[in-house]
Amino acid sequence: QVQPVESGGGLVQAGGSLRLSCAASGGTFNGYTTGWFRQVPGKEREFVATIRYNGYTYYADSVKGRFTISRDNAKKMVYLQMNSLRPEDTAVYYCASGQPILSAVRDGNAYRSWGQGTQVTVSS
């Protein structure tokens, strides 16, 4: 079973950029849907973006046009390029993998494997 492993978080000023990486440990993301979710302490987990097994991508309205999710099958990696970052993007970002049906791609409960998370902090 593939285990996502995130990296790339950090501290950035508002308007800046970061790229998060998610490595497929113990397997590959081929054939799976891999997504990014985020969570702020005391708040519910929030969908950010996902890329399905067929390459189709989906985004939360709050990040559309600023974030881009991509996959490199050869490197067994999924990336989240985050541009024009805002203080409200501050959160722990989690990579998740699974086989959700189309109607559930934004539902974290539909993903089977989760990474440990990486902190993103955007200062104003």
Side-chain angles (χ1 to χ4, degrees):
Q1 179 175 325
V2 63
Q3 176 64 44
V5 179
E6 307 97 334
S7 62
L11 173 64
V12 64
Q13 288 189 332
S17 299
L18 277 177
R19 187 177 80 158
L20 303 183
S21 299
C22 179
S25 176
T28 174
F29 291 132
N30 289 357
Y32 290 88
T33 293
T34 305
W36 289 93
F37 294 77
R38 65 188 182 187
Q39 190 167 24
V40 175
K43 293 190 175 181
E44 290 189 357
R45 181 177 58 201
E46 178 185 24
F47 167 76
V48 177
T50 197
I51 182 165
R52 294 195 79 205
Y53 63 93
N54 56 10
Y56 280 74
T57 57
Y58 302 85
Y59 296 91
D61 288 343
S62 59
V63 307
K64 201 172 295 183
R66 300 188 297 124
F67 292 9
T68 302
I69 189 170
S70 62
R71 183 176 62 215
D72 186 329
N73 289 333
K75 294 183 178 179
K76 303 179 183 179
M77 299 288 291
V78 169
Y79 304 100
L80 184 69
Q81 178 66 43
M82 305 186 294
N83 298 329
S84 302
L85 283 161
R86 305 167 180 168
E88 54 264 39
D89 294 319
T90 295
V92 176
Y93 283 70
Y94 297 91
C95 180
S97 184
Q99 295 176 305
I101 58 175
L102 180 57
S103 61
V105 294
R106 294 176 174 83
D107 182 358
N109 293 321
Y111 291 75
R112 184 173 184 177
S113 301
W114 289 80
Q116 79 288 352
T118 185
Q119 176 71 45
V120 171
T121 303
V122 184
S123 63
S124 57

